[in-house]
Amino acid sequence: MLSKSNPNQIITIIRCLFVVLMITNSYGQNTTYNQFWNEFQFNQTLSKKWSTEIDLGAAYSSTASSSNLFENTIQRSVRGWAHYYYSPRWKLSTFVAHYNNRDVPEIGQFESPEWRFALQGIYYFHKTGYTLSTRMRTEFRHMRNQDDDYENVFRYRQQIKYLQPINSKVLRKGVVYAVASDEIYFKSGAKVTGESFFDRNRLNIGAGYLFSDDIQIELCYANEYLPRNSGTQITNAASLTVSFNNLLRNIQKEIASKNDHHLKDEEE
């Protein structure tokens, strides 16, 4: 049924459910933060079925007294992935990551280093002119709380994502694309992240551009709704992601090509 549905209708239904959840839950006074997230992704193809990825990320945030979204550096992270392409529709992944959380409004204004491990599956509904996908991710988080004790937090994330090229029917060099997604988070209770079962809802809307088949950039607006016992937090964030595919391999090819041209010029 889902593969035959209009993707815009699916996203609208999810957003309506989210609004109902907001209305039916009251968590006190709202607090709004402005943030900037950036991430650099380095992907490396190993074979037709396997690839690896390293992500380097940073996040900045406003504070209660300043609306400047670069007021505080709240998080830095490094994440290593392994991807397995089971079929044209299924992509299975796992990662291990370290997050240096500092002054994160979500968990409190204290330093909370974190190790994170995850299992993920993405199912693609390939359509002519657009791609609809759904992502399932289970995360195990080992985090330090404000008492300097480490807690284990389990979190499940469910996302639906719509991607459509603007000036072409396929993604390739020179193509601009539009992207929209909505993701719901559920978690186990812990002192460091709160006791509520519903963690948050994240909406992303934005666009991307492919400089080549191996380099692309994506800029999005993200809205996060986080219900907490101490008060609901709402985050408005600008998100910038830059992706490189086979960067080292392409650099080696470029160097080898220049060396070959240099040798030919000397022979002539």
Side-chain angles (χ1 to χ4, degrees), residues 34-38 69 219-222 236-240:
N34 302 314
Q35 297 184 359
F36 177 77
W37 310 333
N38 71 284
L69 74 168
L219 180 63
C220 292
Y221 161 74
N236 298 303
S239 174
L240 176 67

Side-chain angles (χ1 to χ4, degrees), residues 130-147:
Y130 69 89
T131 297
L132 183 69
S133 63
T134 181
R135 185 180 75 185
M136 299 144 281
R137 181 189 292 179
T138 300
E139 296 177 332
F140 171 77
R141 308 173 70 188
H142 187 62
M143 309 174 65
R144 192 170 75 189
N145 62 30
Q146 56 189 334
D147 298 325

Side-chain angles (χ1 to χ4, degrees), residues 62-75:
S62 65
T63 64
S65 60
S66 173
S67 60
N68 180 7
L69 74 168
F70 293 101
E71 185 69 21
N72 274 347
T73 301
I74 62 172
Q75 186 183 77

